[in-house]
mmCIF file of all heavy atoms in Angstrom:
data_model
loop_
_atom_site.group_PDB
_atom_site.id
_atom_site.type_symbol
_atom_site.label_atom_id
_atom_site.label_comp_id
_atom_site.label_asym_id
_atom_site.label_seq_id
_atom_site.Cartn_x
_atom_site.Cartn_y
_atom_site.Cartn_z
ATOM 1 N N PRO H 93 141.904 118.163 88.597
ATOM 2 C CA PRO H 93 141.921 118.342 90.075
ATOM 3 C C PRO H 93 142.797 117.284 90.713
ATOM 4 O O PRO H 93 142.696 116.094 90.381
ATOM 5 C CB PRO H 93 140.441 118.170 90.448
ATOM 6 C CG PRO H 93 139.686 118.463 89.192
ATOM 7 C CD PRO H 93 140.554 118.009 88.075
ATOM 8 N N GLY H 94 143.631 117.680 91.636
ATOM 9 C CA GLY H 94 144.506 116.735 92.338
ATOM 10 C C GLY H 94 145.686 116.305 91.528
ATOM 11 O O GLY H 94 146.355 115.324 91.864
ATOM 12 N N GLY H 95 145.914 116.948 90.373
ATOM 13 C CA GLY H 95 147.010 116.560 89.511
ATOM 14 C C GLY H 95 148.347 116.920 90.100
ATOM 15 O O GLY H 95 148.444 117.487 91.194
ATOM 16 N N ALA H 96 149.398 116.588 89.373
ATOM 17 C CA ALA H 96 150.755 116.876 89.852
ATOM 18 C C ALA H 96 150.971 118.373 89.953
ATOM 19 O O ALA H 96 150.377 119.147 89.191
ATOM 20 C CB ALA H 96 151.770 116.270 88.882
ATOM 21 N N PRO H 97 151.748 118.822 90.920
ATOM 22 C CA PRO H 97 152.007 120.265 91.055
ATOM 23 C C PRO H 97 152.715 120.796 89.835
ATOM 24 O O PRO H 97 153.500 120.116 89.188
ATOM 25 C CB PRO H 97 152.886 120.349 92.311
ATOM 26 C CG PRO H 97 153.515 119.006 92.418
ATOM 27 C CD PRO H 97 152.480 118.040 91.929
ATOM 28 N N THR H 98 152.369 122.038 89.516
ATOM 29 C CA THR H 98 152.931 122.673 88.318
ATOM 30 C C THR H 98 154.190 123.434 88.615
ATOM 31 O O THR H 98 154.821 123.957 87.709
ATOM 32 C CB THR H 98 151.898 123.637 87.702
ATOM 33 O OG1 THR H 98 151.540 124.616 88.675
ATOM 34 C CG2 THR H 98 150.661 122.873 87.266
ATOM 35 N N THR H 99 154.533 123.529 89.936
ATOM 36 C CA THR H 99 155.739 124.280 90.280
ATOM 37 C C THR H 99 156.804 123.334 90.762
ATOM 38 O O THR H 99 156.508 122.281 91.337
ATOM 39 C CB THR H 99 155.440 125.321 91.390
ATOM 40 O OG1 THR H 99 154.945 124.625 92.532
ATOM 41 C CG2 THR H 99 154.396 126.310 90.916
ATOM 42 N N ARG H 100 158.024 123.695 90.615
ATOM 43 C CA ARG H 100 159.142 122.904 91.067
ATOM 44 C C ARG H 100 159.897 123.668 92.147
ATOM 45 O O ARG H 100 159.978 124.878 92.120
ATOM 46 C CB ARG H 100 160.094 122.599 89.909
ATOM 47 C CG ARG H 100 159.477 121.734 88.821
ATOM 48 C CD ARG H 100 160.515 121.424 87.775
ATOM 49 N NE ARG H 100 159.947 120.581 86.723
ATOM 50 C CZ ARG H 100 160.637 120.173 85.664
ATOM 51 N NH1 ARG H 100 161.918 120.551 85.525
ATOM 52 N NH2 ARG H 100 160.060 119.398 84.756
ATOM 53 N N THR H 101 160.426 122.875 93.080
ATOM 54 C CA THR H 101 161.226 123.507 94.135
ATOM 55 C C THR H 101 162.504 124.031 93.526
ATOM 56 O O THR H 101 163.243 123.272 92.882
ATOM 57 C CB THR H 101 161.575 122.495 95.234
ATOM 58 O OG1 THR H 101 160.361 121.943 95.737
ATOM 59 C CG2 THR H 101 162.367 123.147 96.360
ATOM 60 N N PRO H 102 162.730 125.301 93.677
ATOM 61 C CA PRO H 102 163.937 125.862 93.056
ATOM 62 C C PRO H 102 165.183 125.256 93.649
ATOM 63 O O PRO H 102 165.280 125.068 94.859
ATOM 64 C CB PRO H 102 163.839 127.360 93.362
ATOM 65 C CG PRO H 102 162.945 127.450 94.545
ATOM 66 C CD PRO H 102 161.985 126.312 94.426
ATOM 67 N N VAL H 103 166.114 124.914 92.826
ATOM 68 C CA VAL H 103 167.394 124.375 93.273
ATOM 69 C C VAL H 103 168.338 125.541 93.498
ATOM 70 O O VAL H 103 168.519 126.382 92.613
ATOM 71 C CB VAL H 103 167.976 123.421 92.215
ATOM 72 C CG1 VAL H 103 169.333 122.883 92.671
ATOM 73 C CG2 VAL H 103 167.002 122.294 91.942
ATOM 74 N N PRO H 104 168.898 125.607 94.717
ATOM 75 C CA PRO H 104 169.793 126.738 94.981
ATOM 76 C C PRO H 104 170.981 126.693 94.038
ATOM 77 O O PRO H 104 171.532 125.616 93.776
ATOM 78 C CB PRO H 104 170.228 126.526 96.435
ATOM 79 C CG PRO H 104 169.976 125.091 96.700
ATOM 80 C CD PRO H 104 168.809 124.708 95.863
ATOM 81 N N PRO H 105 171.328 127.804 93.504
ATOM 82 C CA PRO H 105 172.452 127.829 92.557
ATOM 83 C C PRO H 105 173.755 127.492 93.226
ATOM 84 O O PRO H 105 173.975 127.810 94.384
ATOM 85 C CB PRO H 105 172.456 129.289 92.060
ATOM 86 C CG PRO H 105 171.812 130.064 93.167
ATOM 87 C CD PRO H 105 170.791 129.152 93.750
ATOM 88 N N ALA H 106 174.575 126.796 92.452
ATOM 89 C CA ALA H 106 175.890 126.440 92.979
ATOM 90 C C ALA H 106 176.748 127.685 93.049
ATOM 91 O O ALA H 106 176.758 128.506 92.142
ATOM 92 C CB ALA H 106 176.558 125.397 92.071
ATOM 93 N N GLY H 107 177.449 127.790 94.119
ATOM 94 C CA GLY H 107 178.307 128.962 94.264
ATOM 95 C C GLY H 107 179.183 128.806 95.460
ATOM 96 O O GLY H 107 179.385 127.706 95.980
ATOM 97 N N ARG H 108 179.648 129.883 95.983
ATOM 98 C CA ARG H 108 180.533 129.867 97.140
ATOM 99 C C ARG H 108 179.814 130.101 98.441
ATOM 100 O O ARG H 108 180.406 130.481 99.432
ATOM 101 C CB ARG H 108 181.629 130.932 96.964
ATOM 102 C CG ARG H 108 182.545 130.692 95.766
ATOM 103 C CD ARG H 108 183.642 131.717 95.729
ATOM 104 N NE ARG H 108 184.541 131.473 94.600
ATOM 105 C CZ ARG H 108 185.601 132.219 94.333
ATOM 106 N NH1 ARG H 108 185.890 133.282 95.111
ATOM 107 N NH2 ARG H 108 186.379 131.933 93.305
ATOM 108 N N GLY H 109 178.482 129.947 98.436
ATOM 109 C CA GLY H 109 177.737 130.174 99.674
ATOM 110 C C GLY H 109 178.154 129.189 100.757
ATOM 111 O O GLY H 109 178.575 128.075 100.482
ATOM 112 N N ARG H 110 178.006 129.518 102.024
ATOM 113 C CA ARG H 110 178.398 128.682 103.143
ATOM 114 C C ARG H 110 177.400 127.553 103.321
ATOM 115 O O ARG H 110 176.212 127.716 103.131
ATOM 116 C CB ARG H 110 178.473 129.522 104.424
ATOM 117 C CG ARG H 110 179.520 130.618 104.369
ATOM 118 C CD ARG H 110 179.539 131.390 105.650
ATOM 119 N NE ARG H 110 179.859 130.517 106.771
ATOM 120 C CZ ARG H 110 179.843 130.932 108.027
ATOM 121 N NH1 ARG H 110 179.513 132.186 108.315
ATOM 122 N NH2 ARG H 110 180.128 130.108 109.004
ATOM 123 N N GLY H 111 177.834 126.383 103.699
ATOM 124 C CA GLY H 111 176.989 125.226 103.960
ATOM 125 C C GLY H 111 176.332 125.339 105.329
ATOM 126 O O GLY H 111 176.354 126.380 105.970
ATOM 127 N N PRO H 112 175.731 124.208 105.776
ATOM 128 C CA PRO H 112 175.085 124.230 107.101
ATOM 129 C C PRO H 112 176.080 124.554 108.188
ATOM 130 O O PRO H 112 177.246 124.162 108.135
ATOM 131 C CB PRO H 112 174.561 122.784 107.239
ATOM 132 C CG PRO H 112 174.513 122.249 105.841
ATOM 133 C CD PRO H 112 175.595 122.939 105.091
ATOM 134 N N ASN H 113 175.591 125.213 109.203
ATOM 135 C CA ASN H 113 176.445 125.618 110.316
ATOM 136 C C ASN H 113 176.646 124.416 111.246
ATOM 137 O O ASN H 113 176.006 124.301 112.285
ATOM 138 C CB ASN H 113 175.787 126.782 111.071
ATOM 139 C CG ASN H 113 176.750 127.378 112.096
ATOM 140 O OD1 ASN H 113 177.881 126.921 112.252
ATOM 141 N ND2 ASN H 113 176.286 128.390 112.811
ATOM 142 N N THR H 114 177.494 123.466 110.820
ATOM 143 C CA THR H 114 177.691 122.247 111.606
ATOM 144 C C THR H 114 178.354 122.532 112.948
ATOM 145 O O THR H 114 178.098 121.856 113.938
ATOM 146 C CB THR H 114 178.554 121.251 110.810
ATOM 147 O OG1 THR H 114 179.768 121.906 110.445
ATOM 148 C CG2 THR H 114 177.818 120.798 109.550
ATOM 149 N N LYS H 115 179.197 123.522 112.988
ATOM 150 C CA LYS H 115 179.855 123.850 114.259
ATOM 151 C C LYS H 115 178.832 124.314 115.279
ATOM 152 O O LYS H 115 178.861 123.912 116.441
ATOM 153 C CB LYS H 115 180.921 124.923 114.022
ATOM 154 C CG LYS H 115 181.710 125.279 115.275
ATOM 155 C CD LYS H 115 182.815 126.272 114.956
ATOM 156 C CE LYS H 115 183.610 126.613 116.221
ATOM 157 N NZ LYS H 115 184.689 127.577 115.918
ATOM 158 N N GLY H 116 177.897 125.143 114.842
ATOM 159 C CA GLY H 116 176.859 125.617 115.763
ATOM 160 C C GLY H 116 175.975 124.479 116.241
ATOM 161 O O GLY H 116 175.589 124.391 117.410
ATOM 162 N N LEU H 117 175.627 123.567 115.291
ATOM 163 C CA LEU H 117 174.808 122.412 115.685
ATOM 164 C C LEU H 117 175.524 121.540 116.698
ATOM 165 O O LEU H 117 174.922 121.053 117.660
ATOM 166 C CB LEU H 117 174.452 121.587 114.441
ATOM 167 C CG LEU H 117 173.531 122.275 113.420
ATOM 168 C CD1 LEU H 117 173.347 121.382 112.215
ATOM 169 C CD2 LEU H 117 172.185 122.615 114.047
ATOM 170 N N LEU H 118 176.837 121.312 116.507
ATOM 171 C CA LEU H 118 177.603 120.498 117.439
ATOM 172 C C LEU H 118 177.655 121.125 118.817
ATOM 173 O O LEU H 118 177.473 120.461 119.846
ATOM 174 C CB LEU H 118 179.023 120.302 116.888
ATOM 175 C CG LEU H 118 179.981 119.487 117.771
ATOM 176 C CD1 LEU H 118 179.416 118.083 117.978
ATOM 177 C CD2 LEU H 118 181.362 119.420 117.138
ATOM 178 N N ILE H 119 177.861 122.445 118.849
ATOM 179 C CA ILE H 119 177.907 123.138 120.148
ATOM 180 C C ILE H 119 176.556 123.019 120.842
ATOM 181 O O ILE H 119 176.459 122.764 122.057
ATOM 182 C CB ILE H 119 178.301 124.608 119.959
ATOM 183 C CG1 ILE H 119 179.744 124.690 119.437
ATOM 184 C CG2 ILE H 119 178.141 125.395 121.245
ATOM 185 C CD1 ILE H 119 180.197 126.084 119.092
ATOM 186 N N GLY H 120 175.459 123.143 120.095
ATOM 187 C CA GLY H 120 174.133 123.033 120.692
ATOM 188 C C GLY H 120 173.894 121.637 121.258
ATOM 189 O O GLY H 120 173.335 121.479 122.350
ATOM 190 N N ALA H 121 174.320 120.602 120.497
ATOM 191 C CA ALA H 121 174.127 119.233 120.976
ATOM 192 C C ALA H 121 174.899 118.976 122.255
ATOM 193 O O ALA H 121 174.411 118.366 123.204
ATOM 194 C CB ALA H 121 174.543 118.244 119.887
ATOM 195 N N VAL H 122 176.147 119.454 122.302
ATOM 196 C CA VAL H 122 176.958 119.277 123.517
ATOM 197 C C VAL H 122 176.312 119.987 124.697
ATOM 198 O O VAL H 122 176.278 119.468 125.823
ATOM 199 C CB VAL H 122 178.389 119.804 123.268
ATOM 200 C CG1 VAL H 122 179.190 119.827 124.572
ATOM 201 C CG2 VAL H 122 179.096 118.942 122.239
ATOM 202 N N ALA H 123 175.768 121.158 124.467
ATOM 203 C CA ALA H 123 175.112 121.892 125.557
ATOM 204 C C ALA H 123 173.903 121.135 126.095
ATOM 205 O O ALA H 123 173.672 121.064 127.311
ATOM 206 C CB ALA H 123 174.701 123.284 125.064
ATOM 207 N N VAL H 124 173.130 120.532 125.198
ATOM 208 C CA VAL H 124 171.945 119.764 125.637
ATOM 209 C C VAL H 124 172.364 118.574 126.475
ATOM 210 O O VAL H 124 171.804 118.289 127.541
ATOM 211 C CB VAL H 124 171.124 119.323 124.413
ATOM 212 C CG1 VAL H 124 170.025 118.339 124.817
ATOM 213 C CG2 VAL H 124 170.499 120.523 123.730
ATOM 214 N N VAL H 125 173.390 117.828 126.010
ATOM 215 C CA VAL H 125 173.860 116.665 126.765
ATOM 216 C C VAL H 125 174.366 117.075 128.137
ATOM 217 O O VAL H 125 174.106 116.434 129.151
ATOM 218 C CB VAL H 125 174.960 115.936 125.962
ATOM 219 C CG1 VAL H 125 175.588 114.829 126.812
ATOM 220 C CG2 VAL H 125 174.392 115.348 124.691
ATOM 221 N N ALA H 126 175.136 118.176 128.192
ATOM 222 C CA ALA H 126 175.656 118.648 129.476
ATOM 223 C C ALA H 126 174.521 119.001 130.419
ATOM 224 O O ALA H 126 174.561 118.691 131.625
ATOM 225 C CB ALA H 126 176.567 119.852 129.245
ATOM 226 N N ALA H 127 173.477 119.646 129.907
ATOM 227 C CA ALA H 127 172.338 120.009 130.753
ATOM 228 C C ALA H 127 171.650 118.775 131.314
ATOM 229 O O ALA H 127 171.258 118.722 132.486
ATOM 230 C CB ALA H 127 171.356 120.864 129.945
ATOM 231 N N VAL H 128 171.499 117.745 130.468
ATOM 232 C CA VAL H 128 170.848 116.516 130.944
ATOM 233 C C VAL H 128 171.671 115.850 132.035
ATOM 234 O O VAL H 128 171.156 115.409 133.070
ATOM 235 C CB VAL H 128 170.639 115.550 129.759
ATOM 236 C CG1 VAL H 128 170.167 114.192 130.248
ATOM 237 C CG2 VAL H 128 169.628 116.119 128.778
ATOM 238 N N VAL H 129 173.007 115.768 131.841
ATOM 239 C CA VAL H 129 173.868 115.147 132.840
ATOM 240 C C VAL H 129 173.812 115.898 134.162
ATOM 241 O O VAL H 129 173.719 115.307 135.244
ATOM 242 C CB VAL H 129 175.321 115.078 132.309
ATOM 243 C CG1 VAL H 129 176.273 114.619 133.414
ATOM 244 C CG2 VAL H 129 175.400 114.135 131.123
#
Side-chain angles (χ1 to χ4, degrees):
T98 59
T99 59
R100 296 183 180 179
T101 303
V103 179
R108 297 184 179 180
R110 297 180 60 185
N113 189 359
T114 55
K115 183 176 181 180
L117 294 176
L118 178 60
I119 294 175
V122 172
V124 171
V125 172
V128 171
V129 172

